[in-house]
Each structure stands twice: as structure tokens, then as C-alpha cells.
Amino acid sequence: MFQFAYLFLILLAALPLGRTFLRQRGGSPVVFLHRLYRDLAYIAVAVIGIICFETALTISLQNYWFEELGQSYRYWLALGLRSAIFVTVLCSVGIFVGYNLRALCRPLPAVPKSAPWFAAFVFSAVVAFSATTLWLPLLGFLGAAATGTSDPVFGKDISFYLLALPWYDDLLDIVMTVLVITIALWAVIGLGLYPRSGRALDHFNDYLRQPGTQVLRMIGAVEADAPAQSGTIWGRWIRQGLALGALLCFASGVSRFLGRYYLIIDGHSQVVAGGSYADVNFWIPAYNVIMVGWIAAAFILMAAACATRIRIWLLMRPSHWVVLCGLFVVLYLGAAIIPSTVERLYVGPNQITLEQPYLLRSIAGTREAYNLDGASMEEREFAVSAAPLTREDLDKSGATLRDARIWDWRALEPQLQQIQGLRPYYTFAGVDIDRYMIDGVQRQVMITARELNVEKLPDQAKVWVNLALKYTHGYG
């Protein structure tokens, strides 16, 4: 409705940007970048104002509609929850990402001081808007009440699995996404824009500039002529990366911790619904081992970020961190391979014995869920008929009995393939069940068609004549 007004506002905000490009004649690149950022900020403010206006207009119209329906309370409840999620995610993600971006851009004077914060809050606004769809899981989490029934493995109430666990998973997904994107920005800015050194990154305490090497890869970056200054820049960058890596490892450990509860909902067994013998005795301990591995990795990385001696010991020699990474990989793969191997080689051949307690538990849980147990359940025996069957009863139902299907269509298809295939390239796509009048009586029959499958022709027979002319139709 206001498209032309929005377009005019954006064009008006873009006027300073055009003037900046027209007046750029051999000036300082740093000054040009600062002016460019300022002019782009004008456009961004105009866009944000348009979004705010559209949001306010939408809220007013929806509020009017729900008031007409007498459901304004539900609308404002949902809007309040969505607003609370938006503001919380906007502030927390914006502060976290903004702090990290500001620390990364501090050695780069070409980047305005407010640019990292502005970019961080734009990114956090996108994340917060996508997170507003979680208001329903949040409502369920806030309104969760104990059901009085607990799972037999962890002792958690059923409400935890239905209402709390999904909310925890959604929060963890947001945290993991923000951490991964922040680490990606850390790597791109550090490796792409920071000063180069003639030595490897692990010698960050003593960087030396080689003659003829371009020290700065971004216009206006801090001059790193002194080795100590260059080492300080790289030292801060490495400490920040270690801290971010520690947070990511810790979040991965929490993810594995929550993953244990999903084994109770949907385990690895093809027989038991929920936790099986392998899930309870092997997969849950394996998840615990992986979780401890992630937490240990987070502790090591955070200790290296905080303590200089640990950081130097870890990074000065590749053998130190290679050994630690190798141990973690072996631990992770072992915790993933051993339970699946045990389940295939030991549990599979002994399912009747090993899975019986868990199968009975699953059946009891199903009966309780459908209220098929206890005083409300009544069992009765019903006779097939009021009187015993006689020959006359069978004669009366002769038409029905003669039409009773004895053959199994699933077993008939491979049998037909064996006795009626005749040639390797003849196949039966499937068996259908139909009814036809035979000798004046409607009979149930199974029918199928023998078809050509040119893919099964020998390789020497796959020529153009056979594929395009000959093997395109049946010969009777």
C-alpha cells in the first residue's frame, strides 16, 4: 500500500551515498570507507524504520481482527511471548557477536568503531526474528506440569520429554548457529585481513616480517612494523579463537547430553519402541563418554585461552595438539562404533532373550498411554456364533468361502518371475487383486502383466536397434 512512499524514502536515504561516490577523487581510502559506512547506515536506518512501521501496522490490524472474534487475550499472549523472545535473542546475540567483532576489528582502523556493533545487531535481528516461531514451545515449557509418570531409565517425568526437551533443543540450535557463524567470521577476518608474518602462527609471540612481504592486507590497518605489536595482534586473535572453540565444544557436550534422552523416545532398535537393551547398556554410556570428551576439550581450550604457559605448550609444537585431537577422534569413533557393533553381533542374534524386558516395558507403557490397563479395562470372550457351525451354515456361506483368498500376492510375484519370466528381460512389476465373472460366478483373482525391462538386456544386446525398435513391445 505504501510501496511508492517506501521507495522514495530509500532513494532519499541513498542520496548521500551517491554524493560520496561522485566526490571520491584521489582522497584517503580510509576516509572513503568511513563515509561509505555512514551513507550505508542511512539506508539501513530507513529500511529499519519501514520494517518497524509495517510491523506496527500489522499488529494493529491483527488486534482489531482478534477483538472482533473475542480472542484478543490469546493474541496478546502470543505477541508478548514473541516479543520477549525477540528482545532477549536480539540483546544477547547482538552483545556476544558485537563484542567479538569489535575485538577482531580493533587492529583495523579502516573499520569504523560502530560498524561491528551495527553489523552484529543486524545479524542478531535476523536470528531473533527466526526465533519468534518458538513461542509455542516456550508456552508449553512455561505451562508444563508433572504427569506423575516417569520413565524407567532416567526417572524424568513424561512432561520433560513432551514440553521441556524440545525447548532446550531449540535454544541449543540457536546457540550452536551463532557460535559457528562467529567462528567463521573470526577465521575470515583474521586470516584475510590481519598482518602477515614470515613465521607460522604457532610462533605468535615472536613474529618477524620478511623483507619484501606485504604486511598489511587491508587498507588502513594498523602498521605492524614492530614484531612485538604483530605478536600482540596475533596473540589476541588466537586467544579469542580458543575461547570461541571452548564455547563450541561445551555446547556440543550439552547437545550430546540432551541426545541421551532421545534414546528413550526413539532408540536404535527395530523391535522395541523406545529404549532397548543396546540403548540402555551401550548407547547411553557411549553418549556419556562423548559428552565428557567435549567438556574436556572445552576445558583445555579455555585453559589455553586464559593461561599463557598452557597456550604456548599447546601451540608451540604440533605434536601436542595433534595427540590431543587424535585421542578425541579415537574416543569419538570408538563410542560410535562399539555400540552399533555390539548391537549387530550380540544383541541381534539374542533379541528374544535380551529385548524381552524392554519389550514388555514398551507394551506396558503403550497400554497405560491408551488407558488399556487397570480398573477401566474389561476382558470378555465372545463366541464365534450363538450355536455350533453345521454343514448347512457352510453351504449357506459357500459363495463367500469360495471367494476367500488363500494365495499371498507378495509370495506370488517372485514365483511368477521364476516360472513365467522365460527371458531375463521379462519382469512382473506387481500383482493386483481384482474380481471377474467366471462361469456366472464372481471370483477373486490375481492378475499381473509381464513387461519388458531393457535394463536387464545383456551388454552386447544394448544396441540402438534393440532399444529403439525391437524391445519396445511384447510378442505374445
Side-chain angles (χ1 to χ4, degrees), residues 61-103:
L61 293 176
Q62 289 182 350
N63 178 51
Y64 175 77
W65 172 258
F66 278 93
E67 282 183 352
E68 291 293 325
L69 298 177
Q71 301 292 332
S72 59
Y73 169 75
R74 294 185 178 182
Y75 173 72
W76 285 107
L77 175 63
L79 183 61
L81 292 175
R82 295 172 68 178
S83 301
I85 293 174
F86 182 85
V87 173
T88 303
V89 176
L90 177 69
C91 295
S92 57
V93 175
I95 293 174
F96 176 79
V97 178
Y99 174 80
N100 282 276
L101 285 181
R102 183 69 190 99

Side-chain angles (χ1 to χ4, degrees), residues 28-234:
S28 172
V30 176
V31 175
F32 174 73
L33 289 177
H34 280 254
R35 290 177 178 176
L36 186 65
Y37 163 72
R38 179 198 61 189
D39 298 339
L40 291 176
Y42 293 153
I43 300 176
V45 170
V47 173
I48 292 174
I50 292 172
I51 294 175
C52 294
F53 176 75
E54 282 288 331
T55 302
L57 186 62
T58 302
I59 290 175
S60 63
L61 293 176
Q62 289 182 350
N63 178 51
Y64 175 77
W65 172 258
F66 278 93
E67 282 183 352
E68 291 293 325
L69 298 177
Q71 301 292 332
S72 59
Y73 169 75
R74 294 185 178 182
Y75 173 72
W76 285 107
L77 175 63
L79 183 61
L81 292 175
R82 295 172 68 178
S83 301
I85 293 174
F86 182 85
V87 173
T88 303
V89 176
L90 177 69
C91 295
S92 57
V93 175
I95 293 174
F96 176 79
V97 178
Y99 174 80
N100 282 276
L101 285 181
R102 183 69 190 99
L104 288 171
C105 296
R106 186 175 291 113
L108 307 174
V111 179
K113 294 183 179 180
S114 61
W117 292 101
F118 186 80
F121 274 94
V122 170
F123 168 73
S124 65
V126 176
V127 176
F129 180 77
S130 63
T132 55
T133 57
L134 304 179
W135 71 274
L136 277 177
L138 176 60
L139 185 62
F141 173 78
L142 296 176
T147 62
T149 303
S150 303
D151 76 272
V153 178
F154 294 107
K156 293 288 186 179
D157 191 83
I158 300 300
S159 61
F160 170 80
Y161 296 94
L162 296 177
L163 301 174
L165 187 58
W167 171 247
Y168 294 149
D169 267 343
D170 293 332
L171 288 181
L172 188 60
D173 289 340
I174 296 176
V175 172
M176 294 283 285
T177 301
V178 172
L179 285 174
V180 169
I181 294 177
T182 305
I183 291 176
L185 293 174
W186 166 82
V188 170
I189 294 176
L191 298 178
L193 304 180
Y194 273 20
R196 288 181 180 178
S197 173
R199 304 180 64 182
L201 292 182
D202 53 357
H203 298 280
F204 60 91
N205 284 322
D206 188 21
Y207 280 94
L208 297 176
R209 184 174 64 177
Q210 296 179 349
T213 301
Q214 183 183 1
V215 176
L216 303 179
R217 281 182 272 177
M218 181 174 180
I219 298 174
V222 170
E223 292 295 338
D225 293 332
Q229 187 176 4
S230 178
T232 301
I233 294 174
W234 281 109

Side-chain angles (χ1 to χ4, degrees), residues 10 12 41 46 51 72 77 98 109 124 159 177 194 196 222 261 309 318 333 342-343 354 366 384 404 406 419 441:
I10 294 175
L12 184 64
I51 294 175
S72 59
L77 175 63
S124 65
S159 61
T177 301
Y194 273 20
R196 288 181 180 178
V222 170
Y261 297 111
R309 291 184 178 180
L333 293 179
V342 171
E343 185 174 8
L354 299 177
T366 303
V384 177
I406 300 177
I419 64 176
V441 180

Side-chain angles (χ1 to χ4, degrees), residues 282-410:
F282 293 96
W283 279 108
I284 291 179
Y287 276 36
N288 290 333
V289 170
I290 296 175
M291 177 186 66
V292 171
W294 280 117
I295 299 300
F299 176 78
I300 293 174
L301 292 177
M302 188 58 69
C306 297
T308 305
R309 291 184 178 180
I310 299 177
R311 184 167 62 254
I312 294 176
W313 178 88
L314 184 65
L315 300 178
M316 285 293 291
R317 293 185 179 179
S319 59
H320 293 165
W321 57 267
V322 168
V323 170
L324 293 177
C325 293
L327 290 176
F328 179 80
V329 170
V330 171
L331 184 69
Y332 194 96
L333 293 179
I337 294 174
I338 292 177
S340 59
T341 304
V342 171
E343 185 174 8
R344 184 174 63 256
L345 299 181
Y346 175 66
V347 179
N350 302 280
Q351 281 186 341
I352 297 178
T353 303
L354 299 177
E355 300 286 18
Q356 183 178 6
Y358 303 93
L359 185 60
L360 294 176
R361 178 190 297 172
S362 178
I363 294 174
T366 303
R367 293 173 66 89
E368 183 179 358
Y370 286 95
N371 197 22
L372 299 178
D373 199 4
S376 61
M377 183 66 182
E378 181 181 354
E379 296 184 6
R380 292 185 182 181
E381 293 185 1
F382 295 91
V384 177
S385 61
L389 291 175
T390 62
R391 181 67 184 183
E392 295 179 356
D393 296 329
L394 297 178
D395 293 338
K396 291 179 181 179
S397 304
T400 303
L401 294 176
R402 282 192 301 269
D403 204 30
R405 177 157 51 93
I406 300 177
W407 288 1
D408 187 354
W409 62 271
R410 292 166 294 187

Side-chain angles (χ1 to χ4, degrees), residues 247-274:
L247 293 177
L248 183 62
C249 290
F250 182 78
S252 300
V254 175
S255 175
R256 189 59 62 176
F257 174 78
L258 295 178
R260 304 179 311 153
Y261 297 111
Y262 283 100
L263 296 175
I264 308 303
I265 302 174
D266 186 15
H268 295 82
S269 176
Q270 302 296 326
V271 178
V272 179

